[in-house]
Structure formats: C-alpha cells, structure tokens
Amino acid sequence: DLIQPGLEPFQGWVFPSQDPLDRADFNAVEYINALFPTEQVSDAPNTLRLYFHTFYCQILRLDDNIRTVVRGQTNVGQDGRQALEEAQKAIQQLFGKIKDIKDKAEKSEQMVKEITRDIKQLDHAKRHLTTSITTLNHLHMLAGGVDSLEAMTRRRQYGEVANLLQGVVNVLEHFNKYMGIPQIRQLSERVKAAQNELGQQILADFEEAFPSQGTKRTGGPSNVLRDACLVANVLDPRIKQEIIKKFIKQHLSEYLVLFQENQDVAWLDKIDRRYAWIKRQLVDYEEKYGRMFPPEWCMTERIAVEFCHVTRAELSKIMRTRAKEIEVKLLLFAIQRTTNFEGLLAKRFSGCTLTDGTVKKPEVPPPSTNPFLEDETGPETDEIVIEKSDTDKPKKPKVPDSPFHGIVSKCFEPHLYVYIESQDKNLGELIDRFVADFKAQGPPKPNVDEGGAVLPSCADLFVYYKKCMVQCSQLSTGEPMIALTTIFQKYLREYAWKILSGNLPKTTSSSGGLTITSLLKEKEGSEVAKFTLEELCLICSILSTAEYCLATTQQLEEKLKEKVDASLMERINLTGEMDTFSIVISNSIQLLVQDLDAACDPALTAMSKMQWQNVEHVGDQSPYVTSVILHIKQNVPIIRDNLASTRKYFTQFCIKFANSFIPKFINHLFKCKPISMVGAEQLLLDTHSLKMVLLDLPSIGSQVVRKAPASYTKIVVKGMTRAEMILKVVMAPHEPPVVFVDNYIKLLADCSTDTFQKILDMKGLKRSEQSSMLDLFRLRLPAPPPGGDGAGSLSLSAPTPEQESSRIRKLEKLIKKRL
C-alpha cells in the first residue's frame, strides 16, 4: 500500500524523497562527479570529511527508523493476540446465557402444557357432545319429517309437502356418512319411497286434470296442481319434464287437428292463421294457467317453442308433397310472415328454453361517429357506396342473431331454389332491358363538366344485387347464398361483355385488307378516320363505369362474405369478374391510345417523305409537328375532362400513348434518308418541340396546370432523348470513322448492327463506306457477356414489325402505280 503508482520497487516506500540516493536510476559515478566536479575539490580533506560525516549520520538515522518500526510491529502482534483471547471469552459467556434462557423456556412450556391438559380434554368433550346433540336433533327432525311427509302425501297437502320435503332432503344430507347404521338407512329408504309416491301421484293428478285423449280439457287450474308443481321442483327433474311435456302436448293437440295436411288452411297462402292461432292460445294460457306453473318453468315460451318445432315439421312435410305448387311470391309471402313471427318471439321471450338456461344479453355496440358507416338497418334499396379508403373504415360489429331466428323458417331453405331461379330470370330480363335502353337512347351525351358520366344501368344493377343479397340473407345464410353468388357472377360477366365491351366503338384497321379508297386517301395525304366527340365520351363513360363496377364488385364480395356462414366464406370469390372489368378498362384505354396514335400517323408519314437533304435553312417547327400537336390538343383535353373522376386511368392513357408514339416516331425518323446537316438540325428542333409537348401532355389545354406524374415524365424524357441522340449522331462527321463509331457507341449505347445500319442510311453513305463502317463497328463493340448472344445477332435474327410494315408499304406503292 505504501508504493505509489508509477514508482519502481523500493522507491518512495516510506515517504516521498527528492534525495538522489533514493532514485531508482541512481548512478554512483555521476553522483560522485556531481559532488566533486574538479580535482581540487576532491583533494580537499575537509570536503571529504564533511561528506563522510553526512552519510554516516544518514545511515544512523535510517538504522534508528528501521529499529523503531520492527519493535512497533512486534508490539502490534502481541496486542492482537490479547484482543482475540478477550473476544473468545466474551463469546463463551454469551453462549452460557443463551443456554440458560433456552432451558427456562422449555420448563415454562412444560408447565403450560400441564396446566392446559385438562382444558383440552374438556374442549374435546364439549365438541363431541355438541355434535351428538345436533345429530340427535337432526335425527328427531328426520324421523318426524318422514312421518309427516307420508301423512301429507296421502292427504295431498302439496303446499305443506313442498316446504317439508325440501327440509327433509336437506337434513338427510347430514346423514350421508352414517348410512351404515340400519335405522338411518331405513329412514333414507322411506324418504325415497315417499318421493317416488309423490311423483306418481302428481302425474296421476295432472293426467286426470288434463287428459291426453281427445282435444277438450275436462279439468282446469287449481290450487292443488299449483302446489304440486312446487313439489315437482324438489323431486326428480324427470317428473317436471314429464308434466311439461304432457301439458304442452295436450295444449297443442287442437292445433294438429285444425291444420292437418289435408286441410286448406294448412297451405302456405294461409300461414298467417297458424301464427294467429298460437297467439290466441298464449293469451288464453296466460289468463287461465299463468299462475299454476312456477315462473321459472317459462311455460309460455315452452309452448311457443314446441309450436315452432311442430310447425316446421308440418310445413316441411306439406311442402315436400306439394313442391310443384310453390311459387316465388307464395314462398316469399310465407317466409316474410314466418320471419315476422320469429321476430315477435324474440321480442317477447328470452330464449332460455332453447339453451342451457343462461342467456346473455347482446352487447349493444357504442354509437359510431363515422357518418359514412353503412347502416345495416337502412333501406334495402340504398346504393352500395364506394370509398377509396373502404379498407380503413371501422367494421360495424355484427349484431348477435336472435335465438328464434330460423326456428320455423329453416324449413323453407330446401325450396329456395325457386327464389334463386326467379332471380336468375329477373336479372336476365334486367340485362336485356339495359341493352334495349342503350340501343334506344344511344350513347350518353358529352358532359365534361361532371368528369365523365357513369352509365346509370350499373347503379341499378348493384342496387338490385344488394336488395337480393339482403333478402336472401334473411332467408338463409347457407348454400342458397352460394347459389345467389353464382347468379351474381354470371350477370356481372354479361353486363361487362354486353353493355360495356359490346358498346365500345369499333376501330377501322387496315389489317383486314387494302381498299382502293384507303389507298387513294393515303395518296392524297388525308387523315384516317377518327372517333367522334360522342364516341370518345362513350369510351370514357364505359371506362368510368367499368372502374365503378370493379370497385363495387370488390365491396359486394366483402358483403357476401359477411352475410354467409363462416364455413362457406372461402367459396365466395369474385376475382374473375373483377378481372373482366379490368379487361374492359384496359381495352378502353387501348382504344383511346389507338385513336390518338392513328390520328398522328399521317403527320409522321409526311415527315418520313420529306426531302431532308434539300433543306437549306432551319426555321420554325415543321408542319407535321404542328399537325401532331393539333391532334393532341383536340383529343387529350376531352379525354382528361371525361376521366376527371378516374385520374389514375388518365395517367395510364398518357403512359401508354407515350410508349406507343415515341417508338413509332423513332421508326419514322429512321425512314428520313438521306439527311443533310441542316435537315438534321431542323429534325432536332422538331424533336425538341415534340418532347416539350409530350411533357406537357397531361395538362395540355387545361386552366389548372399540374405537374406530370414522375413515371410518365421518365418515359418521355428517356424516349425523346434517344431520338435526339440519333439526330446528333447523324449530324456528327463520319471522318475519321473510328471517332464516329466511338461517338455512336457513347451517345446511343446501342450494340445493334441494324440500328447502326439505319444511322448510316440516314447519313446517305455509299454501300462501300457502310461496309467498312460496319466492320469497324463490329470490331469496336464491347465483348458480349459470357453465355449470351450479341445484340447485333439478335437484331438480325427476325424481321421487326417496322420491317414488316415497310414491306406492306412497298406493296401498296406497287398497287398505286398500277392504278
């Protein structure tokens, strides 16, 4: 502990010292040289004597310190041993005192036990005596109760028997562990015999008061029977069940006679009379017999439940017999009246007899603050509303089903095929009416102010769908819902093909053959046929309708899954129908793109036929650019205004048009050959003008300028930049060839020999020059990746669509010359 950190051993053990003799790196020679720097000093006798005296005193002082420390350590060891001996003596004294206390405590405990020994004996004796007195008292009560019970049973004093029997049974439970005693066992057997006798006697009294034979009641309510019901509560539960069963059977015997299968009143058209009869019977029961049975027996509900079971069986039997006579209106009438009756039972009774006697009250969900949450109890004809954030909306808690739901109406489920067939027929007629109305009224009028009109027929279709879905879910949530879903799928597809796809304008394509008129029109340079304003609005309307149907079909699928049983939920799938509407949307967008694309074809053809080698100066944009811009300004605002409610599909239209127009423009650019330097500059100016127009295409002609989507802007910039690079390569001098080839590879990054060949044609080089250029180009190409073919070989493997088009053009020219 005395060593300071960082010091060598033996340095600074006792105290810090600045003396050179205490340093760890002490050097005797240097120290002596420091003391005697010169010979004169070392030769002086006084100097040496002084240093020797100093060192001797220091040695004596160190010896004295060492001696003091050693003696001090010797005294410390002696003091420690003395302190340890004193501590051991103190511990021994303490241990002796603890032992004395423990001995005294044991003696005290023994003394207390001797004092309380007699008290414990007395306490045990008292407890046994109390138990004996209580048991004897219970035995006296049991013996007297059994005698009284037998006497009261013979006199039919059921009021007194009800209270006494319960007490006797409770007392008898105390003697379960004493059944080995003959007297106790004999009393127990007498109690059981009395219970059996009471049960048989009470059943006989009810049979006499309410005979099961015949339909007339010879007896009626009495105080004796009311008290007998109280006794039955204490007896075996089978006695109570037998009383209830016989009473309800006798009470409903008249119903089975009045509504026999061969009676006219038994058919579905008079089903109201069945429910009217039970209502009168329940009122009659409450007036005459309401006080006879205990309230916990729920006799009114039991009568109603048994009536429902009997009615369901009778209706099932008569409908199987007369299945051919069931019509839709008759079936719906019977179902409606039945469900109304079940709802009345749910309001009147708790349904405890249908369960184990424990009915939980349905939890009422807290009122929602969302105004857009659909109200399930609203009108059935409300249109299904589509919201973009439908998946984010809170789900409305499903209201628990009534315990009486389907208790009678379940019998109609096997015959719901009549309803399904009727809906199939009705929906077929509805689709036919939609087709006829469309033909009669024609396409919808242009209405750009509302952002494109959705066909009203689609809303009518889904309103009818919702009505059918709600109605069918009230009838059944099982297989009929699956059958109805199949019908929905069928007519969703028919609506998509007959109403939407069937009314899309037809395009006039030259692929079906060449005509003299079309060739003459092309020769004159006139424009191809375009869609009219009405046709454009019709395509946009069909596109908006298909989008509405797509979104509504998705919500319809979710609603059907909510209505159907959980086990059948996986069988509901409208993905195929949603794909059908997606196809209609895609076809509509493609028609709009083809129309605008075809309108621009004459201008591009005119561009490729211009003599670009004769252009002498660069001016404003060429006429063909003005023509393309004119067509864009005519079509795009109409399409945008009619697709204002479906912005994403307008964006798709813009993207598809850019993907179609830009490659076609580049292909026509390759046909411009040969091109002079000034001509290339004019084409570059025209390309830049088209690029600016395409970038502004989504908001062209609009008062509200919006930034084009990034995905669209990327396509336009990439495609038109390629066109500009092609023209810049054409403008570059071809001498020296190596520089030209390297410049081409750098600007276009295109390894296709076909593209390079087209560039050479645009420059107007001779075949010999092109051949040497192609050889040099192949040499300068970067090495292809291992395992892959070169781009040049791929480009020459098969004719491109542009090459096929050029062949058709040559054929057309030959025909024109002959004409």
Side-chain angles (χ1 to χ4, degrees):
D1 295 338
L2 297 177
I3 299 177
Q4 296 180 2
L7 295 179
E8 295 295 332
F10 307 106
Q11 180 183 359
W13 279 26
V14 180
F15 53 86
S17 175
Q18 299 296 331
D19 193 343
L21 296 173
D22 295 330
R23 294 175 58 86
D25 56 347
F26 173 73
N27 191 330
V29 176
E30 292 179 357
Y31 183 72
I32 294 173
N33 290 333
L35 293 178
F36 306 105
T38 61
E39 294 181 359
Q40 291 78 10
V41 175
S42 59
D43 291 339
N46 295 330
T47 303
L48 291 175
R49 188 180 301 112
L50 177 62
Y51 280 109
F52 282 133
H53 179 73
T54 301
F55 290 149
Y56 180 75
C57 292
Q58 190 172 357
I59 292 170
L60 292 177
R61 186 167 59 254
L62 289 175
D63 290 340
D64 185 57
N65 290 338
I66 292 171
R67 190 181 302 108
T68 302
V69 171
V70 171
R71 290 176 179 176
Q73 292 297 325
T74 303
N75 296 333
V76 168
Q78 294 176 356
D79 294 341
R81 284 192 295 273
Q82 184 178 358
L84 179 61
E85 291 175 358
E86 292 177 355
Q88 290 176 349
K89 292 179 181 179
I91 291 173
Q92 291 177 356
Q93 293 176 1
L94 179 62
F95 179 76
K97 292 180 180 180
I98 293 174
K99 187 175 180 182
D100 293 341
I101 294 173
K102 183 178 179 182
D103 294 339
K104 292 179 180 180
E106 291 177 354
K107 292 179 180 179
S108 300
E109 183 180 2
Q110 187 66 27
M111 188 181 299
V112 170
K113 287 182 179 180
E114 293 177 357
I115 295 173
T116 59
R117 184 181 294 113
D118 297 336
I119 298 176
K120 285 184 178 180
Q121 292 178 355
L122 292 175
D123 186 54
H124 288 304
K126 178 183 177 182
R127 187 180 302 111
H128 294 160
L129 181 60
T130 303
T131 303
S132 301
I133 294 173
T134 303
T135 303
L136 289 175
N137 189 20
H138 286 165
L139 181 61
H140 175 73
M141 293 170 59
L142 179 62
V146 171
D147 294 337
S148 301
L149 183 63
E150 292 174 347
M152 292 176 183
T153 300
R154 290 191 294 269
R155 295 193 297 268
R156 284 183 165 78
Q157 295 176 350
Y158 296 132
E160 292 79 2
V161 168
N163 296 325
L164 180 60
L165 179 60
Q166 185 63 51
V168 170
V169 171
N170 293 337
V171 172
L172 188 61
E173 291 178 357
H174 293 280
F175 292 94
N176 288 334
K177 54 185 177 181
Y178 302 117
M179 287 300 171
I181 302 174
Q183 292 80 359
I184 302 298
R185 186 170 58 253
Q186 183 180 3
L187 288 174
S188 176
E189 292 173 355
R190 288 175 61 187
V191 172
K192 292 181 181 179
Q195 288 177 330
N196 293 333
E197 183 180 355
L198 277 171
Q200 298 299 325
Q201 187 171 305
I202 291 172
L203 290 177
D205 292 342
F206 271 94
E207 181 67 26
E208 181 180 356
F210 304 101
S212 58
Q213 301 294 333
T215 59
K216 295 183 180 180
R217 305 185 187 91
T218 58
S222 64
N223 294 331
V224 175
L225 294 180
R226 184 179 67 245
D227 295 337
C229 292
L230 298 177
V231 177
N233 271 336
V234 187
L235 297 176
D236 191 339
R238 290 179 295 179
I239 303 299
K240 170 186 171 181
Q241 295 172 2
E242 187 69 19
I243 293 173
I244 295 173
K245 181 179 178 181
K246 288 185 176 181
F247 179 81
I248 294 177
K249 182 179 180 181
Q250 195 276 338
H251 210 71
L252 296 178
S253 58
E254 181 182 353
Y255 172 72
L256 295 174
V257 175
L258 292 176
F259 293 90
Q260 287 183 358
E261 186 178 353
N262 56 359
Q263 300 293 328
D264 293 339
V265 75
W267 188 229
L268 300 180
D269 57 345
K270 298 181 179 60
I271 197 170
D272 280 342
R273 300 189 181 183
R274 294 176 178 267
Y275 305 133
W277 183 88
I278 190 60
K279 291 176 185 177
R280 292 193 302 269
Q281 292 302 313
L282 292 178
V283 172
D284 180 66
Y285 165 81
E286 291 289 349
E287 293 177 353
K288 295 183 178 179
Y289 307 102
R291 298 181 180 180
M292 186 176 72
F293 295 100
E296 62 269 16
W297 285 22
C298 302
M299 287 299 296
T300 308
E301 181 178 331
R302 292 181 185 275
I303 294 172
V305 169
E306 183 62 25
F307 166 81
C308 292
H309 293 326
V310 172
T311 302
R312 184 175 64 187
E314 292 295 321
L315 288 176
S316 299
K317 182 169 61 175
I318 194 173
M319 283 192 292
R320 284 196 301 268
T321 306
R322 304 171 63 176
K324 296 181 180 181
E325 302 179 28
I326 301 177
E327 299 178 352
V328 177
K329 292 184 179 179
L330 179 62
L331 181 65
L332 293 180
F333 168 78
I335 292 175
Q336 181 183 6
R337 294 295 186 269
T338 303
T339 53
N340 291 342
F341 175 70
E342 291 173 350
L344 182 64
L345 293 180
K347 293 179 181 179
R348 173 66 175 81
F349 304 115
S350 63
C352 60
T353 60
L354 297 173
T355 58
D356 296 334
T358 58
V359 178
K360 296 182 179 179
K361 294 184 179 181
E363 296 182 359
V364 180
S368 175
T369 57
N370 185 356
F372 298 102
L373 190 63
E374 183 181 357
D375 188 3
E376 294 290 342
T377 60
E380 294 181 359
T381 59
D382 289 346
E383 184 178 351
I384 301 177
V385 180
I386 298 297
E387 293 290 339
K388 291 184 180 179
S389 59
D390 183 64
T391 56
D392 299 333
K393 295 193 301 183
K395 299 286 186 180
K396 183 175 181 180
K398 190 174 181 180
V399 179
D401 292 334
S402 164
F404 294 94
H405 177 69
I407 191 171
V408 179
S409 58
K410 199 74 173 177
C411 65
F412 298 110
E413 187 166 330
H415 304 278
L416 286 179
Y417 67 89
V418 178
Y419 172 78
I420 301 299
E421 293 175 356
S422 172
Q423 297 304 326
D424 189 2
K425 180 180 177 182
N426 293 341
L427 284 170
E429 295 175 354
L430 187 63
I431 295 295
D432 294 339
R433 180 168 65 83
F434 290 161
V435 175
D437 291 346
F438 193 92
K439 291 181 179 180
Q441 299 174 4
K445 303 299 180 184
N447 188 4
V448 298
D449 294 336
E450 296 182 2
V454 176
L455 298 180
S457 57
C458 70
D460 296 339
L461 177 67
F462 282 103
V463 166
Y464 190 82
Y465 270 13
K466 182 180 181 183
K467 181 179 179 181
C468 295
M469 177 184 65
V470 174
Q471 193 175 44
C472 186
S473 64
Q474 293 175 349
L475 306 180
S476 172
T477 57
E479 287 294 336
M481 284 292 290
I482 303 299
L484 185 66
T485 302
T486 304
I487 300 298
F488 285 173
Q489 292 174 309
K490 172 184 175 182
Y491 289 102
L492 282 174
R493 293 191 296 269
E494 287 202 9
Y495 184 85
W497 297 124
K498 290 183 178 180
I499 307 298
L500 300 181
S501 292
N503 290 307
L504 283 173
K506 302 298 185 293
T507 57
T508 55
S509 175
S510 60
S511 60
L514 298 175
T515 62
I516 297 176
T517 306
S518 64
L519 294 176
L520 290 177
K521 282 186 176 181
E522 183 180 348
K523 184 176 181 180
E524 297 295 331
S526 61
E527 299 177 359
V528 296
K530 288 176 53 182
F531 287 143
T532 62
L533 175 62
E534 289 76 10
E535 289 175 332
L536 286 177
C537 293
L538 173 61
I539 295 174
C540 294
S541 179
I542 289 176
L543 192 153
S544 300
T545 304
E547 186 207 16
Y548 174 85
C549 293
L550 174 63
T552 313
T553 301
Q554 183 178 2
Q555 189 180 20
L556 176 66
E557 180 182 14
E558 295 174 358
K559 294 297 180 183
L560 287 169
K561 289 182 178 180
E562 291 179 7
K563 299 292 184 182
V564 79
D565 292 338
S567 58
L568 303 176
M569 192 179 299
E570 295 181 356
R571 295 175 58 182
I572 294 180
N573 187 359
L574 303 183
T575 304
E577 289 65 39
M578 288 187 275
D579 292 341
T580 301
F581 289 115
S582 298
I583 293 173
V584 175
I585 293 173
S586 179
N587 292 341
S588 302
I589 296 175
Q590 191 63 32
L591 279 178
L592 296 174
V593 172
Q594 289 177 0
D595 178 64
L596 182 56
D597 202 23
C600 298
D601 280 346
L604 297 179
T605 303
M607 177 191 76
S608 62
K609 291 182 178 180
M610 289 181 63
Q611 302 297 325
W612 292 102
Q613 76 273 18
N614 298 330
V615 178
E616 297 179 353
H617 62 276
V618 178
D620 294 335
Q621 63 187 24
S622 302
Y624 75 89
V625 177
T626 305
S627 177
V628 170
I629 295 174
L630 178 62
H631 289 306
I632 290 176
K633 288 184 176 180
Q634 287 177 349
N635 285 35
V636 173
I638 297 173
I639 297 172
R640 182 183 59 243
D641 294 339
N642 279 273
L643 295 181
S645 60
T646 56
R647 294 289 302 177
K648 63 178 180 179
Y649 293 118
F650 174 70
T651 303
Q652 288 187 19
F653 159 76
C654 296
I655 292 175
K656 287 188 176 182
F657 173 72
N659 283 326
S660 175
F661 175 80
I662 294 176
K664 184 179 292 186
F665 172 74
I666 293 176
N667 289 333
H668 280 79
L669 202 62
F670 285 136
K671 297 177 183 178
C672 299
K673 54 187 178 180
I675 303 175
S676 64
M677 179 66 67
V678 179
E681 292 178 358
Q682 180 63 47
L683 277 173
L684 187 61
L685 175 64
D686 296 340
T687 301
H688 182 74
S689 300
L690 284 175
K691 179 179 179 181
M692 293 297 101
V693 172
L694 290 176
L695 288 174
D696 191 45
L697 183 139
S699 60
I700 193 167
S702 175
Q703 296 179 355
V704 180
V705 179
R706 294 183 179 178
K707 186 178 180 180
S711 57
Y712 170 77
T713 304
K714 183 178 180 181
I715 293 173
V716 173
V717 171
K718 181 179 179 181
M720 296 305 290
T721 301
R722 174 176 170 79
E724 292 174 343
M725 291 299 104
I726 290 173
L727 292 173
K728 289 182 179 180
V729 172
V730 173
M731 293 170 60
H734 61 279
E735 294 293 342
V738 175
V739 176
F740 176 77
V741 172
D742 291 342
N743 191 31
Y744 168 84
I745 296 174
K746 179 180 178 181
L747 291 177
L748 287 182
D750 191 343
C751 299
S752 172
T753 56
D754 188 26
T755 305
F756 187 71
Q757 176 75 53
K758 292 177 181 178
I759 296 291
L760 298 179
D761 291 339
M762 293 174 69
K763 291 182 69 65
L765 298 180
K766 297 178 180 180
R767 289 297 176 184
S768 59
E769 294 177 331
Q770 292 185 15
S771 177
S772 61
M773 283 281 190
L774 286 172
D775 294 339
L776 181 60
F777 173 73
R778 293 188 181 96
L779 291 175
R780 304 292 292 180
L781 282 178
D789 296 334
S793 62
L794 288 176
S795 64
L796 299 174
S797 61
T800 62
E802 292 76 14
Q803 294 173 341
E804 293 292 342
S805 177
S806 65
R807 293 176 183 176
I808 295 174
R809 295 289 184 185
K810 291 179 181 179
L811 178 61
E812 292 175 358
K813 290 180 181 179
L814 292 175
I815 296 174
K816 289 178 187 178
K817 290 179 180 179
R818 294 189 178 183
L819 289 174

